[in-house]
Amino acid sequence: MEPPLLNNTEEIAALYRELSQFPSLSSACIGPEITTQYGGKYCNIYTEWSQRDLERAENVKFCRQYLIFHDSQSIVYSSPSGNCTEIKGELLSRDSPSGAQKAVLRKTSNSKGEEKQFLEVWEKNRKVKSIDLSALEKHGQVYEDDQFGCLAWSHSETHLLYVAEKKRPKAESFFKPKAPELNVEEELRKTEQKEKAIKGEQFVFYEDWGETLVAKSVPVLCVLDIESNNVSVLESVPEHISPGQAFWTPGDTGVVFAGWWHEPFRLGLRHCTNRRSALYFVDLTGGRCELLSDDTKAIWSPRLSPDQCRIVYLENVAFGPHQQCSRLCMYDWYTKLTSTVVEIVPRKSQGEFTGIYNTALPERCWAADSQRVVLDTAQRSRQVRMNNKIP
């Protein structure tokens, strides 16, 4: 028997209000394994959820944590830890490798309505750092999207790596009225403190990547020294590419990232895994930038193994069909050799594996033993999980 069709608008609104109270899972992260003094093992699972708030007319995010006790073979006991807490203004967050610290990128507005971005460092139950990135004026807005954005701890937990918009020179009109003349000392002090503006370029057009990446034109890699609060912008990245999805190399001697070509034009990157791109390495000790993959392909989602020996990433033909079948590749950090883990399937047969169709690899796709990569992919009308043994 079919359910009755609702025609009354009040009944429809009441049903929508009821259904909007069910949150949807946005992301989850498994924390490090902890051993108690009695030998028991547990880990913390941090989850983020999204729910529609009809009174505020906006989607709200909140977090909830779970404790999972296990015996290395199965889950012994699991339980939520405390109540849910709304996440206000949080753009990105990342736990340190040891789990002792957490970095948070937060957006706030001051009394004048101006938006600012703060990079916070939390340790256990207190905030130990809050850095006003806007006040430093080293770069523009920090990228929080999943295309370029990242927030990566160094293995030593002393530095943070992120992606931001390149700082643009200030511009002003030719007809901007001049301030009253000052004496020589005041004029010299003002000139030293204020960056000289370029006249007549306040309306210059900057091509951006568009499609949920509006106002993102020239991303740069930035490194924050947590101890000194100093931010450095890496200058070795080639000017014809946009870097993103970056992480630290073994020993924190450099940074690996995916770089997308600006040619023929920027617009058309979101959902376009066929844009020409390659894997790069920036050596922080020598200042050079090195190509690690074939620069005629399209690559994305590089992921470093827990033993810091290998990098897996997805690859397919540049400028080919959108959402085409992808190849799972692996780069060995020490032998400098690239191999194929899962090849592209050119023509699928009934009942056989159809290939990898995926927009991104999971953030933690590697198993703890660095011998397997776990991912999901579409197989006809189903989404299935794959467990790939690394040769």
Side-chain angles (χ1 to χ4, degrees), residues 129 131 136 138 158-159 223-232:
K129 288 278 185 179
I131 302 166
L136 296 178
K138 291 292 185 74
T158 58
H159 293 76
V223 175
L224 168 69
D225 186 323
I226 298 175
E227 184 65 30
S228 65
N229 294 356
N230 182 54
V231 173
S232 303

Side-chain angles (χ1 to χ4, degrees), residues 284-315:
L284 299 182
T285 58
R288 73 181 192 281
C289 186
E290 180 182 341
L291 180 68
L292 302 182
S293 68
D294 187 346
D295 63 355
T296 63
K297 305 288 186 180
I299 73 100
W300 70 102
S301 289
R303 304 288 187 256
L304 181 66
S305 61
D307 62 6
Q308 302 180 28
C309 292
R310 290 171 286 190
I311 301 169
V312 293
Y313 57 90
L314 293 171
E315 177 189 274

Side-chain angles (χ1 to χ4, degrees), residues 1-219:
M1 181 178 178
E2 294 184 0
L5 183 65
L6 294 180
N7 293 318
N8 187 287
T9 55
E10 292 186 359
E11 292 181 353
I12 295 173
L15 178 61
Y16 180 76
R17 181 178 292 276
E18 179 183 351
L19 295 177
S20 66
Q21 295 178 357
F22 292 92
S24 60
L25 180 64
S26 303
S27 63
C29 179
I30 302 176
E33 183 181 89
I34 300 174
T35 303
T36 67
Q37 58 180 339
Y38 304 107
K41 297 180 179 180
Y42 73 93
C43 61
N44 180 70
I45 297 182
Y46 174 84
T47 61
E48 291 186 1
W49 302 75
S50 176
Q51 182 177 341
R52 186 66 180 175
D53 189 322
L54 298 180
E55 281 67 29
R56 287 161 54 179
E58 63 179 357
N59 292 326
V60 296
K61 291 199 308 179
F62 63 90
C63 66
R64 190 171 191 178
Q65 302 191 56
Y66 298 83
L67 287 177
I68 306 294
F69 289 85
H70 62 91
D71 58 4
S72 299
Q73 298 295 329
S74 60
I75 296 176
V76 178
Y77 175 77
S78 63
S79 173
S81 176
N83 295 319
C84 302
T85 305
E86 182 178 348
I87 305 171
K88 191 68 175 177
E90 187 174 300
L91 302 178
L92 288 173
S93 65
R94 188 74 68 223
D95 288 327
S96 63
S98 67
Q101 300 182 91
K102 182 177 182 178
V104 176
L105 175 66
R106 196 179 306 277
K107 179 179 68 174
T108 63
S109 298
N110 58 19
S111 57
K112 298 180 181 179
E114 300 171 337
E115 288 191 353
K116 289 193 171 188
Q117 289 183 325
F118 289 83
L119 194 51
E120 305 169 350
V121 177
W122 293 76
E123 186 178 279
K124 295 182 180 180
N125 297 318
R126 64 193 183 105
K127 186 194 295 186
V128 295
K129 288 278 185 179
S130 184
I131 302 166
D132 186 352
L133 297 178
S134 306
L136 296 178
E137 296 187 345
K138 291 292 185 74
H139 51 69
Q141 292 290 301
V142 178
Y143 287 20
E144 81 289 351
D145 60 89
D146 56 3
Q147 181 67 50
F148 295 106
C150 69
L151 186 57
W153 284 88
S154 62
H155 304 294
S156 61
E157 302 188 6
T158 58
H159 293 76
L160 282 167
L161 171 68
Y162 59 92
V163 178
E165 181 68 15
K166 184 178 181 180
K167 183 182 179 181
R168 295 176 184 170
K170 294 181 179 180
E172 64 182 19
S173 170
F174 285 112
F175 309 104
K176 182 180 179 180
K178 294 183 178 180
E181 291 187 3
L182 305 173
N183 60 47
V184 178
E185 291 184 1
E186 291 179 339
E187 186 69 36
L188 182 60
R189 191 184 310 113
K190 185 178 179 181
T191 303
E192 291 176 349
Q193 293 176 352
K194 186 177 179 181
E195 180 185 350
K196 188 175 182 180
I198 301 176
K199 292 185 177 295
E201 293 194 3
Q202 70 273 30
F203 300 117
V204 170
F205 172 73
Y206 291 91
E207 181 187 46
D208 60 32
W209 286 98
E211 294 180 312
T212 74
L213 300 173
V214 175
K216 295 175 180 178
S217 178
V218 186

Side-chain angles (χ1 to χ4, degrees), residues 105 111 207 219 247-248 348 369:
L105 175 66
S111 57
E207 181 187 46
F247 57 86
W248 295 89
K348 49 187 175 289
D369 59 5

